[in-house]
Amino acid sequence: MRMILVGPPGAGKGTQAARLVETFKIPHISSGDMLRAAVKEGTPLGLEADRFMKAGQLVPDEVVIGMILERIKKVDCAKGFMLDGFPRTRPQAEALDKAMKEAGVALDSVVVIDVPDALLEERAVGRRTDPVTGTIYHLKYNPPPAEVADRLVHRKDDTSEAVTTRIQKYHSETAPIVPFYEQQKILKRVDGVGNPDEITKRLVAALS
Ligand code: AMP
């Protein structure tokens, strides 16, 4: 299965992707995780991406497109993959489409996780990640156990200001990819309001 998870910041893409890849046995490819790893390692790509990410802006298309197209050529993606956070602009969607056509493969599904803007800021600002296990917690809705609390990371772009910019960018830059996939008849929408287990069930039903 080759699929894409789309949703605004705080929609639960990362949490749900981690669960879905267990069910569907495909690699989880998160452009945000790859960029954060590059920033941490201080690679040239990371150095370029860092200033955009801190401000909640999108990293330029040419940087992200090259990174993802290289990644999906790897052998672990031969039978499928789940993209999370890519494509995020119409040129990214078109570049992915072209590369997949050239490779003779096609997307099976693009799933949009819908969450109203009013809920997103609180979800993103309260988010904390465990750098050891990659588990995503929320201080109020999914509190971390005491033994991991001291090591949790608060993303630099999960501040109220950066989240507001990221939500605006989602509407102006990412929403235009929806009609692109609607035309291809592979778009599905899932209600992202509720507890994570319920939302996983909705996603699995939409994908199965
Ligand atoms: P995420 O972890 O998906 O929320 O992404 C965190 C940040 O990484 C975004 O706010 C952007 O700055 C950058 N980023 C991730 N994926 C992309 C993408 N496909 N295009 C441009 N920037 C991206």
Side-chain angles (χ1 to χ4, degrees), residues 119-200:
L119 299 182
L120 296 173
E121 185 181 333
E122 192 195 11
R123 282 197 186 187
V125 172
R127 169 161 60 189
R128 298 291 183 278
T129 310
D130 182 344
V132 176
T133 62
T135 308
I136 303 167
Y137 296 99
H138 188 281
L139 295 178
K140 184 166 159 194
Y141 301 116
N142 179 21
E147 60 273 22
V148 303
D150 287 347
R151 68 184 190 215
L152 297 182
V153 175
H154 186 208
R155 278 171 47 175
K156 280 185 271 184
D157 60 350
D158 275 345
T159 60
S160 178
E161 202 186 3
V163 171
T164 304
T165 307
R166 288 163 62 206
I167 295 170
Q168 284 165 359
K169 288 280 157 196
Y170 178 76
H171 291 299
S172 63
E173 304 289 331
T174 308
I177 71 175
V178 168
F180 182 74
Y181 292 120
E182 249 163 5
Q183 270 170 11
Q184 299 181 19
K185 307 209 184 314
I186 52 172
L187 190 92
K188 291 161 184 146
R189 303 197 86 111
V190 164
D191 177 6
V193 180
N195 75 51
D197 291 343
E198 274 166 18
I199 298 163
T200 308

Side-chain angles (χ1 to χ4, degrees), residues 67-87:
M67 179 183 84
I68 294 292
L69 296 189
E70 277 307 304
R71 177 66 188 88
I72 61 173
K73 275 189 210 150
K74 298 233 160 95
V75 63
D76 63 331
C77 295
K79 293 217 174 80
F81 49 77
M82 174 172 302
L83 289 174
D84 154 12
F86 181 95

Side-chain angles (χ1 to χ4, degrees), residues 31-32 35-36 53 57 59 64 85 88 92 155 157 166:
S31 47
L35 290 167
R36 278 184 288 279
M53 294 173 76
Q57 300 286 347
V59 174
V64 191
R88 240 186 178 90
Q92 292 180 17
R155 278 171 47 175
D157 60 350
R166 288 163 62 206

